[in-house]
Amino acid sequence: MFSANGAVAPAAYPPPVDPQKEFIKRGLDPEEELIEVGVAIVGGGTAGLACANRLLQLLAEDPETMERLGEVPVAVIEKAKTCGGHNLSGAVMRPGPLLELFPELTREQWREEGFAFGEVTKEAVYLTPTSKLAVRIPTPPPFKNHGNEVVSVSALARYQQREVEEAGAYVLTETSATQLIVEDGRVVGVRSGDKGRGKDGEPLSNFEPGTDIKARATVLAEGCWGHLTGTAIREFDLAKDREPQVWELGVKEVWKVPKPLDRLIHTMGPWPLKVAPKYGQIGGTWLYPMTNAAGEHLVSIGFVVELEYADATTSAHDLLQTFKTHSFVRRILDGGERIAWGAKALPGGGYWSMPKLSMPGALLVGDSGGMVDTMALKGVHHCIKSGILAAETIHSALARGESSFEAYEQAIEESSVGRELWEVRNARQPLQKGLLLGGPLSGVQQISKGRLPGRANWHRNDEKPMFIGDTKDEYVKPDGKYTFDKLSSVFITGNATRDDAPNHIRVRKQVPREIAETWRWMCPAGVYEIPEDAPEDGPVDVIVNYTNCVQCGAITAKGGRLTAPEGGDGPLYQIT
Ligand SMILES: Cc1cc2nc3c(=O)[nH]c(=O)nc-3n(C[C@H](O)[C@H](O)[C@H](O)COP(=O)(O)OP(=O)(O)OC[C@H]3O[C@@H](n4cnc5c(N)ncnc54)[C@H](O)[C@@H]3O)c2cc1C
Ligand code: SF4
């Protein structure tokens, strides 16, 4: 954990948390005190709702199984104020799985429903060697997006919520699932979190205790590994013989612009990242054109950085602000107005880092199962497909009166999810050596489309020794018009965390300055502060302003742990 020059890795300071002890409830409460449902889906994002959508389609044609699942055949448990409130993506989506899920809905109707913003007809990829120079390069295979659709996953989740509710699902919004309930080695449901506790956990006047939600099948659709997913992975040893998961962090804005952007753009840096391997920085940007149903021109712009970097002053938020000052980006945003901001982590390990996807009584779908191709920055269509396959597996097992969902593993492997992720299984790992060294190796892997044998390794992001470097010297000062600070950005997310809510972030209070600086710069919401009088060398007492947290999840990759906050807390994204 310590490098030759004494630099220290976040893994040397693990968060004070024992997931199996704290987040697993061994046994259900008495029958009269619990809620019983057929299938409990934790997470009302794209994946969880796709699972609910498909299950209700199947149950509508199978009244006998529907009847057996009781009064609430399908329940979706979502911690945001409404589905979509915590969802954020680029997002340019491969359309196949969504067309499969809603076969009667045309792409024109997607746009009328307000979650899709146009088909990609033109695209371009640039290198940005400096803040002034942008060099167009031939589009590398993973960046080919012709025919894909620009969507908002936040708006898509709202649409999916309306559909499942009409079909009879019970959607519990503002509800966090805080514990996995395990009985005799099988997941039998989840427990919802208490509401109305104060800073120190004390019950306030509006206190409501959580409830056990008993289910015949539980689907973990929490996104980018999650609170219960991480716990289940440990409890059932689902990551045995897999590569460790690695993470990326994306910060996104949506702009309303006077002139339409006529193409989809990706940039591959290196500016404003540093190219020298000691910084360990790999990242890129996107600019996606969007036209909404009212005919207004919007642009989705974002910066994604791998959380494998070593310079503690790396900040995805500040990198995005700086990137917006590049002359070609300024021209695109000129005269425009920022209407949304948000941040979210994504799992980057791909095929080899995917945990086992089933356990007795439960399944993992979407980002919870690590189903993202980060070479192409594509996960939305895998989320939908995995939700469909999970629903079909559960329905078929329950209809036959069986209790094993193991068939799901094979179904994923044989589907577009398994096939596409297999093709790029070794493509991203070489980039952990840096763009210059790893780029060509990664290119060979992409061209071979998975035909080269072997398994490339990942190492954990939190084992990377950190140093306090000079990436920060490049960051622009916010002007409040084109570039913004973290706090005014959090403000426009509609973050509604109570000032006296209990702290849901677990980190060591006292850490070396390198670690404290890592958290301070990394957190897009400005949660971590270093006191002004803290010593330059030696341990630092980190201040955690957890009520600003937008639940991006990045802290879990670099030495901390995001736990489930009180239901309803956090951002209320609309169009991210
Ligand atoms: C910056 C960025 C850019 C991306 N760009 C693209 C792109 O252009 N194209 C593409 O295809 N993919 C892209 N991806 C990947 C894609 O967005 C994800 O794969 C996908 O959105 C994940 O969907 P999900 O339903 O699995 O998870 P999420 O969308 O994260 O949904 C999980 C839901 O579960 C809820 N939840 C979590 N834990 C609990 C709990 N314990 N109790 C209750 N509720 C809970 C959350 O609030 C959330 O609503 C991008 C990802 C990021 C972060
Ligand atoms: S506190 Fe952690 S999870 Fe919350 S926004 Fe900051 S980095 Fe993300």
Side-chain angles (χ1 to χ4, degrees):
M1 275 162 219
F2 292 87
S3 70
N5 63 3
V8 63
Y13 295 86
V17 62
D18 181 346
Q20 274 159 286
K21 204 161 157 205
E22 292 181 59
F23 309 137
I24 297 226
K25 181 168 182 281
R26 311 240 169 230
L28 286 156
D29 283 350
E31 288 289 319
E32 61 282 7
E33 289 173 26
L34 52 77
I35 301 175
E36 188 161 353
V37 304
V39 179
I41 299 171
V42 180
T46 320
L49 288 165
C51 181
N53 292 132
R54 182 69 189 128
L55 255 175
L56 285 153
Q57 289 167 357
L58 292 163
L59 291 172
E61 289 167 11
D62 179 5
E64 209 182 297
T65 307
M66 176 85 123
E67 175 84 28
R68 264 194 284 138
L69 292 184
E71 270 177 50
V72 183
V74 178
V76 179
I77 300 142
E78 170 55 51
K79 62 183 164 54
K81 268 205 175 343
T82 161
C83 291
H86 289 177
N87 307 111
L88 178 144
S89 182
V92 58
M93 179 187 76
R94 294 190 183 140
L98 191 59
L99 290 168
E100 180 188 338
L101 182 62
F102 299 123
E104 7 17 86
L105 206 65
T106 64
R107 286 175 73 165
E108 201 45 57
Q109 286 166 318
W110 294 0
R111 294 165 205 149
E112 285 159 18
E113 292 291 346
F115 62 78
F117 301 89
E119 182 171 339
V120 180
T121 52
K122 274 169 125 182
E123 55 194 324
V125 179
Y126 293 90
L127 294 177
T128 50
T130 69
S131 62
K132 302 226 162 28
L133 203 59
V135 182
R136 186 160 176 193
I137 57 167
T139 304
F143 292 103
K144 293 209 163 110
N145 276 290
H146 204 91
N148 291 338
E149 182 84 18
V150 179
V151 298
S152 150
V153 285
S154 169
L156 174 57
R158 283 182 175 79
Y159 172 78
Q160 290 178 278
Q161 177 181 359
R162 285 198 299 277
E163 288 292 302
V164 287
E165 283 181 329
E166 266 171 37
Y170 183 35
V171 182
L172 288 122
T173 51
E174 301 193 64
T175 306
S176 282
T178 52
Q179 288 181 307
L180 197 65
I181 308 177
V182 177
E183 232 174 44
D184 302 325
R186 183 176 174 87
V187 176
V188 291
V190 295
R191 184 166 177 86
S192 65
D194 295 344
K195 287 189 178 181
R197 286 195 183 273
K199 262 192 165 57
D200 300 314
E202 73 284 11
L204 304 174
S205 57
N206 59 347
F207 177 72
E208 280 174 44
T211 313
D212 284 5
I213 301 169
K214 178 182 176 187
R216 291 170 194 227
T218 301
V219 178
L220 297 179
E222 295 178 288
C224 196
W225 278 24
H227 173 66
L228 297 184
T229 308
T231 307
I233 287 171
R234 282 194 184 206
E235 172 77 5
F236 294 96
D237 207 7
L238 304 179
K240 186 164 176 253
D241 300 329
R242 314 287 158 122
E243 292 298 316
Q245 187 55 274
V246 293
W247 313 64
E248 302 185 1
L249 172 61
V251 174
K252 166 178 181 174
E253 294 180 352
V254 181
W255 281 68
K256 197 187 275 186
V257 288
K259 266 196 317 209
L261 175 63
D262 71 343
R263 67 196 59 202
L264 179 126
I265 295 173
H266 285 107
T267 73
M268 296 170 66
W271 182 87
L273 292 171
K274 305 274 187 193
V275 83
K278 73 167 183 172
Y279 291 90
Q281 293 174 338
I282 293 287
T285 73
W286 75 80
L287 287 130
Y288 297 157
M290 301 164 76
T291 304
N292 66 17
E296 292 170 315
H297 307 303
L298 310 176
V299 171
S300 158
I301 178 169
F303 202 108
V304 182
V305 64
E306 287 192 11
L307 292 175
E308 178 57 15
Y309 58 76
D311 181 352
T313 72
T314 309
S315 156
H317 172 82
D318 293 289
L319 287 163
L320 174 61
Q321 302 313 310
T322 306
F323 174 68
K324 286 188 294 177
T325 63
H326 194 291
S327 38
F328 102 96
V329 183
R330 266 307 298 275
R331 279 199 294 278
I332 293 167
L333 301 181
D334 205 30
E337 176 200 357
R338 183 176 77 156
I339 58 168
W341 173 95
K344 202 156 178 17
L346 63 152
Y351 187 85
W352 299 121
S353 300
M354 282 166 63
K356 184 170 188 292
L357 299 170
S358 66
M359 65 207 95
L363 295 174
L364 306 179
V365 297
D367 281 15
S368 272
M371 298 176 208
V372 181
D373 165 4
T374 47
M375 281 315 296
L377 194 57
K378 293 281 175 303
V380 178
H381 69 300
H382 290 327
C383 290
I384 297 169
K385 185 68 191 180
S386 64
I388 293 173
L389 292 173
E392 290 173 354
T393 307
I394 292 169
H395 171 256
S396 136
L398 295 180
R400 290 199 305 267
E402 292 171 4
S403 59
S404 166
F405 308 127
E406 288 250 348
Y408 173 64
E409 207 86 37
Q410 188 73 12
I412 288 285
E413 191 70 35
E414 287 168 4
S415 72
S416 54
V417 182
R419 281 196 306 276
E420 287 180 27
L421 292 176
W422 172 257
E423 283 186 1
V424 291
R425 68 195 181 286
N426 289 325
R428 193 80 195 200
Q429 293 88 328
L431 295 177
Q432 281 200 329
K433 297 185 196 339
L435 192 60
L436 292 182
L437 273 176
L441 277 173
S442 170
V444 171
Q445 288 289 354
Q446 287 166 51
I447 292 162
S448 87
K449 285 208 157 193
R451 282 186 283 272
L452 294 179
R455 166 171 163 172
N457 303 115
W458 289 109
H459 60 84
R460 292 171 59 106
N461 297 147
D462 60 0
E463 286 175 357
K464 185 91 166 186
M466 306 303 295
F467 70 98
I468 301 171
D470 56 357
T471 302
K472 62 180 181 323
D473 298 347
E474 197 87 41
Y475 300 153
V476 293
K477 279 215 158 46
D479 63 11
K481 188 167 160 52
Y482 287 103
T483 53
F484 302 90
D485 63 17
K486 290 180 175 177
L487 293 188
S488 59
S489 300
V490 173
F491 183 76
I492 65 165
T493 66
N495 191 344
T497 308
R498 276 191 292 123
D499 282 345
D500 59 349
N503 185 359
H504 62 288
I505 300 292
R506 302 281 185 89
V507 285
R508 287 274 185 100
K509 267 203 116 42
Q510 236 191 25
V511 289
R513 184 169 270 273
E514 288 84 348
I515 307 296
E517 294 283 1
T518 301
W519 295 343
R520 174 159 87 97
W521 286 102
M522 175 183 69
C523 176
V527 166
Y528 308 97
E529 248 184 87
I530 299 176
E532 275 176 17
D533 58 356
E536 272 314 307
D537 292 316
V540 168
D541 290 322
V542 183
I543 301 168
V544 183
N545 301 308
Y546 56 89
T547 54
N548 286 346
C549 172
V550 292
Q551 302 174 24
C552 78
I555 191 66
T556 308
K558 284 281 197 200
R561 174 71 144 84
L562 168 69
T563 70
E566 184 175 295
D569 283 355
L572 186 54
Y573 296 137
Q574 306 287 339
I575 196 179
T576 52

